[in-house]
Amino acid sequence: MCCLHAAAPTPDLILRDTITDKAYRTYRLLPFDVPDGIQALEIRFDYTGRDARTTIDVGLLGPGEKFDIEFRGWSGGNKRSFTLSASDATPSYLAGPVTPGKWQPLLGVPNIRNGQTTEFTAEVYFQRNNPAPLKAEAGWYRGDLHMHSAHSDGNCASKSGDKRVPCPLFLTLDAAANHGLDFVAFTDHNTISHIKELTAPQPYFDKLLLIPGMEMTTFQGHANAFNLREPVDIRVSSKEVPDWNTLLTEAKNKGALVSINHPRVPTGEACMGCGWSPNPPADLSLVQAVEVVNGNDIESPITGIPFWHEQLQKGYRLTAIGGSDTHDVTSKNVSPPQGRIGVPTTVVYAKELSIDAIMEGIRACNVFIDAAGSRDRKLELSATYKQTVAMGGQLSVPAKQSVTFTARIEQMTGGTVEIIRAGNITRRTGIPAAKHTWSFEETSDGQRHWIRIDVRDADGKLALLGNPIYVN
Ligand SMILES: [Zn+2]
Ligand SMILES: [Zn+2]
């Protein structure tokens, strides 16, 4: 799909008002009807006469009997558009359901000179429009896909250091920006109350994309739902939600991308339902990714890599991602398996830096994990037989034909590249220089295979983990 932002969205309604100098220092309403089933409202407005010092202030009333119910916000002269939904709203406006009925922009006229007339126009959209991407170009974007704030069990020392308190989300955003990340996903447990705190700071964090998410935390496993803006019912094994498939289907219907979290962390009193243990088993075709690295667990017995390999062997094409699972971004003493923000970093090839493009990039699987969160290490893998594909791609190769794989590794010297085929290391080679390109051949036997590479640093530590290319 190309040109996501090329076409301007079409408004559902256009409201117009001609305002003369008689309206000086008065208020007026511009009613319109909201139909049933609307999740989000966006209004973009403009008016003529700014050069003649005309000023029109803007607010919004919704359906209601009394002003304090009707009141949905007031931005005066300080904004040209706003969005409002049950989960979040542009600052100046109140998040709340977009109930059907009569809604009314409330206009104030503080300045209009004698003899002046202004044409006020408001475009009403019964949806949330995609914001402009933070960066328009295609490339590798680095992010952390798992963290918690005061909206669940994120906690930190208070300002004075005297006590532990629910940790303000802003501190995590600041730490992520300082780490040079391009995107973060907030995944508080079983709630979306943090989304309104992502909408307000996004303009300030103009190089850090803020992705709403939820860690769906059940007694039978945890999974992150990325780009989720509505609540989902996580009561797996109840009358309402008989099994994980019900929850996965609801998340999918609400537009989320789902990743199984820390599948091999033991379930117990220390960690409620942490291990992936759906009963009955979940249909993994409803899942897009697996968190194979959680914090610093990459080489521990609880790493998610074997679980992921098992699913690849079964034919599920799940993208390997990582997440720090940061709960206290201020702590100086983070002991494994807890990770600092950006440790690990998931690096996604995307056509631009926007939520849709990062989600599309994770689905496409041209993704690697930078276990130490280095900021600049890179791992690219492509394969060529009649055509060239990147990680996540597929080639059809008849038996006895050979495929050329090319790996490019940057910012690693003295380490080792490992080729992994069907879960086993089949070859190793050293990395002589900071920028290293290396090719190898694989001969097809006509059967299905997946082939991927890992990179170890000079100390033998697993540093970069790549996603597979599929043959047949
Ligand atoms: Zn978890
Ligand atoms: Zn978590």
Side-chain angles (χ1 to χ4, degrees):
M1 183 171 48
C2 114
C3 321
L4 202 63
H5 302 283
T10 310
D12 293 286
L13 293 172
I14 298 179
L15 313 175
R16 296 180 205 278
D17 195 11
T18 301
I19 301 169
T20 68
D21 54 1
K22 291 197 179 61
Y24 179 55
R25 292 191 177 180
T26 63
Y27 295 97
R28 50 210 288 129
L29 292 161
L30 210 48
F32 65 96
D33 283 317
V34 169
D36 270 324
I38 303 301
Q39 307 297 329
L41 192 64
E42 181 173 339
I43 300 184
R44 302 176 182 183
F45 47 89
D46 206 353
Y47 54 90
T48 62
R50 281 194 168 86
D51 46 351
R53 306 295 298 270
T54 301
T55 306
I56 307 296
D57 286 345
V58 174
L60 184 67
L61 303 181
E65 300 299 307
K66 296 191 307 196
F67 182 78
D68 52 357
I69 296 170
E70 287 182 306
F71 180 76
R72 296 305 192 104
W74 175 259
S75 53
N78 64 60
K79 297 198 169 59
R80 298 265 181 115
S81 68
F82 59 85
T83 301
L84 183 155
S85 73
S87 63
D88 61 312
T90 304
S92 306
Y93 292 85
L94 304 175
V98 185
T99 42
K102 188 166 77 168
W103 288 65
Q104 310 182 87
L106 170 60
L107 310 185
V109 189
N111 302 328
I112 189 165
R113 290 177 181 169
N114 280 339
Q116 290 293 322
T117 296
T118 183
E119 299 296 334
F120 181 91
T121 308
E123 295 180 346
V124 179
Y125 301 84
F126 293 138
Q127 67 196 25
R128 179 193 304 274
N129 291 303
N130 289 323
L134 296 193
K135 278 189 198 163
E137 62 269 26
W140 290 102
Y141 290 108
R142 313 179 79 88
D144 189 339
L145 289 164
H146 191 162
M147 61 200 66
H148 298 275
S149 73
H151 290 269
S152 59
D153 54 351
N155 65 90
C156 56
S158 61
K159 187 78 176 167
S160 71
D162 288 352
K163 51 184 185 243
R164 299 295 297 178
V165 295
C167 207
L169 184 148
F170 187 88
L171 292 179
T172 308
L173 297 181
D174 219 29
N178 292 340
H179 193 77
L181 295 178
D182 299 306
F183 62 88
V184 285
F186 267 84
T187 53
D188 276 307
H189 296 286
N190 296 344
T191 186
I192 53 165
S193 62
H194 49 282
I195 297 178
K196 59 182 181 295
E197 280 198 64
L198 301 180
T199 306
Q202 180 65 86
Y204 175 75
F205 290 98
D206 52 351
K207 293 188 172 169
L208 178 68
L209 180 72
L210 313 182
I211 302 173
M214 177 199 284
E215 184 168 12
M216 302 187 292
T217 309
T218 80
F219 301 136
Q220 300 179 5
H222 300 186
N224 277 342
F226 300 117
N227 196 20
L228 180 74
R229 291 179 180 275
E230 298 168 63
V232 289
D233 190 343
I234 56 80
R235 292 174 287 177
V236 168
S237 204
S238 68
K239 178 164 61 51
E240 293 78 9
V241 187
D243 53 28
W244 254 102
N245 287 345
T246 311
L247 173 52
L248 291 171
T249 303
E250 189 187 0
K252 181 184 173 192
N253 291 342
K254 289 181 170 168
L257 184 156
V258 174
S259 171
I260 295 169
N261 290 349
H262 46 67
R264 288 284 165 83
V265 170
T267 287
E269 287 181 353
C271 194
M272 186 276 282
C274 276
W276 182 249
S277 50
N279 182 22
D283 173 7
L284 296 197
S285 64
L286 294 167
V287 172
Q288 290 76 45
V290 181
E291 183 187 70
V292 305
V293 187
N294 177 272
N296 277 312
D297 77 356
I298 188 162
E299 294 192 87
S300 76
I302 57 170
T303 170
I305 297 171
F307 172 87
W308 174 52
H309 282 178
E310 280 168 29
Q311 310 319 313
L312 294 176
Q313 283 296 86
K314 288 179 191 163
Y316 294 109
R317 295 187 175 183
L318 303 175
T319 304
I321 61 170
S324 69
D325 211 352
T326 295
H327 283 72
D328 178 2
V329 79
T330 66
S331 172
K332 298 219 169 19
N333 304 313
V334 178
S335 57
Q338 261 203 306
R340 295 178 191 285
I341 192 84
V343 179
T345 296
T346 302
V347 192
V348 178
Y349 191 84
K351 68 178 184 208
E352 62 184 24
L353 185 56
S354 68
I355 294 178
D356 285 344
I358 296 296
M359 295 297 108
E360 200 180 309
I362 294 173
R363 285 178 202 272
C365 194
N366 195 3
V367 171
F368 68 91
I369 300 169
D370 180 339
S374 74
R375 299 179 184 226
D376 58 1
R377 285 176 174 169
K378 203 182 267 183
L379 166 60
E380 293 179 335
L381 180 66
S382 62
T384 303
Y385 175 77
K386 293 189 174 172
Q387 56 168 330
T388 298
V389 297
M391 287 185 284
Q394 174 182 310
L395 288 175
S396 294
V397 188
K400 297 188 182 143
Q401 300 294 306
S402 76
V403 186
T404 306
F405 284 79
T406 303
R408 182 174 170 81
I409 291 128
E410 293 185 15
Q411 306 305 327
M412 301 278 305
T413 307
T416 315
V417 188
E418 297 174 342
I419 302 174
I420 296 159
R421 181 173 169 150
N424 302 307
I425 298 169
T426 60
R427 247 186 274 188
R428 286 192 175 89
T429 185
I431 305 172
K435 283 194 180 170
H436 180 54
T437 302
W438 177 55
S439 290
F440 56 96
E441 303 280 321
E442 288 276 318
T443 303
S444 172
D445 58 4
Q447 307 295 307
R448 290 166 54 160
H449 292 289
W450 53 270
I451 293 152
R452 64 179 202 81
I453 59 176
D454 281 345
V455 181
R456 291 186 180 272
D457 66 14
D459 299 327
K461 281 197 194 126
L462 196 47
L464 302 175
L465 184 147
N467 270 284
I469 289 176
Y470 299 94
V471 177
N472 299 318

